[in-house]
Structures are given as structure tokens and as C-alpha cells.
Amino acid sequence: MTGSGFRPMVPLDPLLPVQLVVLRGDRAHIRCADDWTAWADGRCLVPVPQDPPGDGVPAGDAADPRPLLARAERALADYRAAVADLVAGGLDTEAFRDRTRGLRIGVLIDGASMWLYDAGQGRWLYADGGRLSTRAGDHEHPGRPPAGPDPTRAAAPDGDT
């Protein structure tokens, strides 16, 4: 971050789960699973709605992931084709924006674990194999947390606040 006095020292794994402690402008103070803390570029963080279920915890609504994966593949293929046309000169920037308007996918795969965004339902799902479980909807996590002193809150051991 030029001019802020911060320089990247250690690159973080792009799939490293972190907890956002404080967000100040574009700077995010994060805590890693091993309690290591750091300041990072908050623009690079992707909010994940909830932690995935632990080992042995049954999946919630147990939906088959294949239809949603097929929709994600079609959206990616449509985007790829639009990029090819743009690069080849067959589309200008405005036509590219028109052609890609409404395309929205989110897929994060890390080994057997997968987060999948269902744009039609506005929800994030988690899978560790053949079953998806809904973890959160857009209305529950509308984006980045507000900037301020400390957007975190204490939770009781059973998860109630």
C-alpha cells in the first residue's frame, strides 16, 4: 500500500481462512486460525458466510451440487466466450459489459471442500463431496462489514450472542 507505511512482507495463501478484526478504509486487520494477526489489503478479502461444518456434522439441506455446478460452468463458458470476442476485437468495452451483465458465479474449491454461490437464490452453499448445504444468504451478509473501531462482537460458547 503505497504511502501508507505498509509493505507486503509475507504472501498469504489465497485460500487461507481469516477473521476480519477491523476494517479501516482499504486496510484490514485479520486474525488467522493459528492466532497470527496482520494487516492486509481488505480489497482482496472475500467474505465467506460461515465456517463449514466440522467433521461428522451432517450437511443441512443436502442438495445435489451438480445442477448448480453446471450453471456455474455455463456462466464461465459465456464469460470466456465474451472475453475471446473482446480480445479478438469483435466486441468493444460497452458491448462486453452488456454481454456479461447478469453473469455472477462464485466457486472456491480447496481439496474436497467447496464453496459455491447460487446467484439465482442469492445464497452461499458448502460441500465436502456430493451434498451441498446452505450456509448463508445475501441478505444475511450484504458485503463488507462497516468500517469502525471494532465490528466484532462477543459470542457465548454455544454461538448465541
Side-chain angles (χ1 to χ4, degrees), residues 130-151:
R131 294 288 178 221
L132 288 172
S133 62
T134 301
R135 306 310 286 163
D138 284 346
H139 61 282
E140 298 170 44
H141 300 276
R144 294 163 55 145
D150 190 356

Side-chain angles (χ1 to χ4, degrees), residues 67-80 103 105:
L68 191 52
L69 282 168
R71 286 196 300 269
E73 287 177 41
R74 283 191 302 273
L76 182 58
D78 290 347
Y79 191 85
R80 185 183 308 117
L103 289 178
I105 63 172

Side-chain angles (χ1 to χ4, degrees), residues 27 31-32 35 51 66 80 101-102 108 121 134 138 142 159:
R27 294 184 303 150
R31 180 180 318 281
C32 303
D35 267 349
D51 291 335
R66 291 173 294 180
R80 185 183 308 117
R101 186 172 288 119
L108 175 65
Q121 299 293 315
T134 301
D138 284 346

Side-chain angles (χ1 to χ4, degrees), residues 36-84:
W36 186 77
T37 63
W39 285 93
D41 186 342
R43 297 169 297 182
C44 297
L45 299 178
V46 176
V48 176
Q50 294 178 1
D51 291 335
D55 289 337
V57 176
D61 45 10
D64 182 345
R66 291 173 294 180
L68 191 52
L69 282 168
R71 286 196 300 269
E73 287 177 41
R74 283 191 302 273
L76 182 58
D78 290 347
Y79 191 85
R80 185 183 308 117
V83 167

